[in-house]
Amino acid sequence: MIRIAVANQKGGVGKTTTAINVATALAASGWRVLLIDFDPQGNASTGLGVDRGQREWSSYEVLTGQSTIVEAAVPSRVPRLDLVPATEDLSGAEIELIDIEQRTHRLANALDAVPAGKWDVCLIDCPPSLGLLTINALVAARSLLVPLQCEFFALEGLSQLLTTIERVRARFNSHLSILGVALTMYDRRNRLSEQVAQDVRACLGDVVFETVIPRNVRLSEAPSHGLPALIYDHRCSGSEAYIALARELIGRLPDMARAA
């Protein structure tokens, strides 16, 4: 199973929107997808229409060893897309794990226990921080998808994330690599968006996806209906961009035994 962490320590960059819609696009392409909501806010769970009454088991129980991933996973409204939801309990997990052995490998160990062939790809929606939850995701993942908002401080925040990635590589997970950086909330009417996009591409080169995710009101509306934008309005500019991004992402993934 391919494991991809969707991470950026800055909030409001379109991270959860990216995780939900890329997961939906992969599922629509025939992949069996697992999305792990690893943010105590539970926005990915809400955005996929999994209400709090359905969250009997969550990523918190997985992290603390009370549940397996297979037990915690619930089907979403999207065919072939399953979700491990999150609850507020996850916010206390970092404190609870302080004295636990291998606290940085809890999620990795849980994913290692998933039966082979259950899912083709796993996306992990990380919280907007570089704490123990995000470290667990980076240790568990093999690839990293970084949503990056087209705004002034984008590169500054990215440098902090890259430093953390190098530390994780050195200490815990030498296989971790950056799958790509996705530019989000791009406003074609704003010259700053274009300048930031140019600066990011000049700095990072081919690691930046060609597809740019625009600012789009339908992307913002979709979570309130418990639906990915690709289902809420598949013809809007935001949905079309995420479909294109998923195609690019698939092209960068390792070869799989099955066609997707």
Side-chain angles (χ1 to χ4, degrees):
M1 179 169 58
I2 297 172
R3 307 177 189 178
I4 304 170
V6 184
N8 190 322
Q9 79 276 15
K10 289 176 65 65
V13 300
K15 177 178 54 59
T16 297
T17 300
T18 297
I20 289 173
N21 287 290
V22 167
T24 299
L26 291 174
S29 299
W31 296 57
R32 293 166 297 174
V33 183
L34 174 67
L35 175 59
I36 298 178
D37 190 347
F38 223 44
D39 186 344
Q41 298 178 83
N43 290 335
S45 305
T46 302
L48 282 175
V50 178
D51 61 37
R52 301 198 179 276
Q54 297 175 270
R55 305 177 198 181
E56 180 179 358
W57 300 104
S58 70
S59 51
Y60 168 78
E61 281 79 20
V62 169
L63 202 60
T64 55
Q66 301 173 59
S67 169
T68 67
I69 286 180
V70 173
E71 289 170 341
V74 296
S76 73
R77 298 182 182 182
V78 181
R80 292 181 296 275
L81 173 55
D82 294 332
L83 171 78
V84 174
T87 64
E88 295 90 344
D89 292 340
L90 194 59
S91 60
E94 295 197 6
I95 297 175
E96 294 180 39
L97 292 176
I98 288 177
D99 296 324
I100 294 181
E101 188 177 353
Q102 282 199 315
R103 60 183 178 272
T104 58
H105 289 69
R106 303 291 291 183
L107 182 60
N109 293 339
L111 283 168
D112 288 344
V114 173
K118 177 67 174 176
W119 294 285
D120 299 316
V121 60
C122 170
L123 295 174
I124 309 166
D125 183 31
C126 299
S129 70
L130 294 178
L132 188 55
L133 292 177
T134 298
I135 297 299
N136 258 270
L138 295 181
V139 172
R142 294 297 177 267
S143 302
L144 181 66
L145 170 59
V146 183
L148 191 68
Q149 184 180 3
C150 292
E151 54 107 47
F152 183 72
F153 292 112
L155 285 174
E156 179 179 321
L158 181 62
S159 66
Q160 297 172 8
L161 180 60
L162 294 177
T163 298
T164 300
I165 292 168
E166 288 305 318
R167 289 174 178 169
V168 170
R169 280 175 177 159
R171 295 187 59 187
F172 306 119
N173 182 6
S174 61
H175 301 291
L176 182 65
S177 63
I178 299 178
L179 182 62
V181 173
L183 297 173
T184 63
M185 301 183 181
Y186 182 84
D187 188 346
R188 299 186 185 279
R189 302 167 300 177
N190 188 334
R191 294 177 62 182
L192 178 61
S193 287
E194 178 60 28
Q195 186 60 56
V196 170
Q198 291 177 3
D199 290 346
V200 172
R201 294 188 190 281
C203 178
L204 299 177
D206 291 341
V207 74
V208 183
F209 288 105
E210 286 296 323
T211 302
V212 174
I213 308 301
R215 283 192 179 275
N216 180 246
V217 67
R218 306 299 268 178
L219 291 178
S220 302
E221 290 174 353
S224 66
H225 296 269
L227 291 170
L230 268 66
I231 294 178
Y232 179 64
D233 184 353
H234 71 278
R235 295 180 178 176
C236 73
S237 61
S239 293
E240 291 176 348
Y242 273 119
I243 292 170
L245 177 63
R247 290 197 191 104
E248 273 196 82
L249 184 146
I250 289 172
R252 297 187 183 191
L253 290 177
D255 291 336
M256 300 185 62
R258 59 179 293 281

